[in-house]
């Protein structure tokens, strides 16, 4: 059976992605900081009859990423798909952004992608196959006032994706990114109503995205149907940008 390792799988887009891959018959390795939330997701997905490993971990921890990947290989034998989804946001103008803020956002959003891609690609190279899917953001493409650190981390993911695709393509490993627009999750739930209204007006489809809207695209990108796509960033924003 194929195996997907998904970070940030306890809520939002990551949880919906875990469910989509479970529905597709993948065994799962799920990562987030909260063990309690991961246990709940494991319980909720138990009806799909797939094996699920859970790993409480902070994705910015380099050594822990290695442990998570090594244990997944030991227990499940392979990693076919890595989804680097875990991330967090920061809404602060530059003058208010501290050095700690910057380091935290870059560590959680960008260093994490390095951590897990490096650990998993070692095994994908041996397997001679694999797909790495990185969750960026439309903000990484167009920028956003008050989100310079977040946008920089998400733009970094896009450049990382393009480069790694070129590095690993000849070894039958694809690397792609998705750039969601406004998706209804915990990440966006606390935004002030006037900001939500502003974004809403930009969306051609006149609705906010659901986590499953992104999960479906991630699943497609991991599939054989996407066999000839690598290095690209697929925008999933309902026509926002
Ligand atoms: P969410 O609902 O807040 O979920 C974030 C997930 O990441 C949770 O499972 C969280 O679990 C995990 N996580 C956060 N920090 C972590 C850390 N340091 N180590 C391990 N896990 C961590 O957010 P979401 O909206 O689904 O976002 C998922 C991804 O999509 C993020 O990369 C985000 O930047 C991107 N994105 C979202 C939107 C949007 O509109 N929602 C738009 C563009 C891009 P724990 O709290 O248990 O650790």
């Amino acid at each position: 059976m194929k195996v997907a390792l998904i970070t940030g799988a306890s809520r939002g887009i990551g949880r919906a992605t875990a469910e989509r891959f479970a529905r597709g018959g993948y065994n799962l390795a799920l990562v987030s900081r909260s063990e309690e939330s991961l246990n709940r997701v494991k319980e909720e997905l138990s009806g799909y009859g797939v094996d699920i490993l859970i790993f409480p971990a902070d994705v910015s921890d380099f050594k822990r990423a290695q442990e998570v990947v090594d244990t997944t290989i030991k227990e499940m034998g392979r990693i076919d798909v890595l989804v680097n989804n875990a991330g967090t946001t920061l809404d602060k103008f530059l003058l208010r952004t501290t050095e700690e803020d910057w380091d935290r956002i870059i560590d959680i959003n960008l260093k994490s992608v390095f951590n897990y891609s490096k650990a998993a690609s070692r095994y994908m190279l041996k397997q001679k196959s694999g797909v790495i899917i990185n969750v960026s953001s439309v903000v990484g493409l167009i920028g956003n006032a008050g989100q310079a650190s977040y946008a920089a981390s998400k733009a970094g993911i896009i450049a990382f994706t393009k480069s790694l695709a070129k590095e690993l393509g000849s070894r039958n490993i694809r690397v792609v990114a998705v750039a969601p627009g406004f998706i209804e999750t915990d990440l966006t739930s606390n935004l002030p109503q006037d900001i939500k209204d502003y974004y809403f007006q930009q969306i051609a489809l006149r609705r906010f995205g659901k986590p499953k809207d992104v999960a479906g695209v991630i699943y497609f990108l991991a599939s054989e149907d996407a066999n000839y796509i690598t290095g690209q960033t697929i925008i999933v924003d309902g026509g926002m940008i």
Side-chain angles (χ1 to χ4, degrees):
M1 239 150 102
K2 286 193 168 185
V3 177
L5 191 160
I6 302 165
T7 70
S10 62
R11 291 182 275 124
I13 294 168
R15 193 213 169 284
T17 302
E19 178 154 16
R20 183 65 192 87
F21 278 84
R23 184 147 65 84
Y26 279 74
N27 288 332
L28 300 175
L30 306 180
V31 180
S32 89
R33 286 164 304 186
S34 160
E35 184 164 18
E36 196 188 333
S37 306
L38 286 173
N39 265 318
R40 202 186 52 243
V41 173
K42 183 177 176 177
E43 177 79 28
E44 287 165 357
L45 300 185
S46 61
Y48 289 103
V50 299
D51 292 339
I52 302 177
L53 297 173
I54 59 161
F55 296 99
D58 188 321
V59 287
S60 61
D61 183 335
F62 178 79
K63 273 173 74 180
R64 182 77 180 121
Q66 193 68 59
E67 284 168 17
V68 167
V69 166
D70 288 349
T71 309
T72 303
I73 294 289
K74 210 165 130 225
E75 302 282 323
M76 292 183 159
R78 54 191 297 112
I79 296 175
D80 298 283
V81 181
L82 165 65
V83 183
N84 284 309
N85 162 76
T88 192
T89 188
L90 178 74
D91 294 311
K92 269 191 190 178
F93 290 112
L94 182 65
L95 290 185
R96 290 191 178 278
T97 303
T98 64
E99 183 184 3
E100 288 73 28
D101 286 333
W102 170 268
D103 287 345
R104 189 174 63 85
I105 291 298
I106 298 298
D107 282 356
I108 295 175
N109 290 358
L110 184 56
K111 185 185 172 199
S112 60
V113 177
F114 162 75
N115 291 345
Y116 280 81
S117 300
K118 182 174 161 76
S121 62
R122 199 156 63 88
Y123 292 104
M124 289 178 172
L125 284 165
K126 280 190 204 149
Q127 283 170 195
K128 298 187 170 55
S129 69
V131 186
I132 299 174
I133 299 164
N134 300 320
V135 180
S136 175
S137 166
V138 289
V139 162
L141 290 162
I142 62 169
N144 198 16
Q147 287 195 319
S149 322
Y150 178 73
S153 72
K154 293 299 182 180
I157 289 176
I158 292 171
F160 182 87
T161 300
K162 288 180 191 170
S163 302
L164 203 61
K166 290 184 175 175
E167 200 169 309
L168 301 178
S170 65
R171 317 294 285 277
N172 195 32
I173 298 169
R174 294 187 294 111
V175 189
V176 285
V178 293
F182 191 113
I183 311 299
E184 284 177 323
T185 67
D186 292 350
L187 202 78
T188 48
S189 63
N190 289 331
L191 285 172
Q193 193 55 46
D194 58 326
I195 304 278
K196 285 186 184 172
D197 291 345
Y198 170 76
Y199 286 128
F200 191 84
Q201 291 308 319
Q202 321 292 314
I203 301 170
L205 291 179
R206 285 294 189 275
R207 67 171 180 86
F208 293 128
K210 302 273 181 216
K212 69 177 172 56
D213 294 326
V214 183
V217 175
I218 292 174
Y219 187 77
F220 160 71
L221 288 170
S223 76
E224 290 292 305
D225 286 343
N227 233 341
Y228 205 52
I229 300 177
T230 195
Q232 294 296 318
T233 298
I234 309 299
I235 297 170
V236 189
D237 71 345
M240 185 170 153
I241 66 164

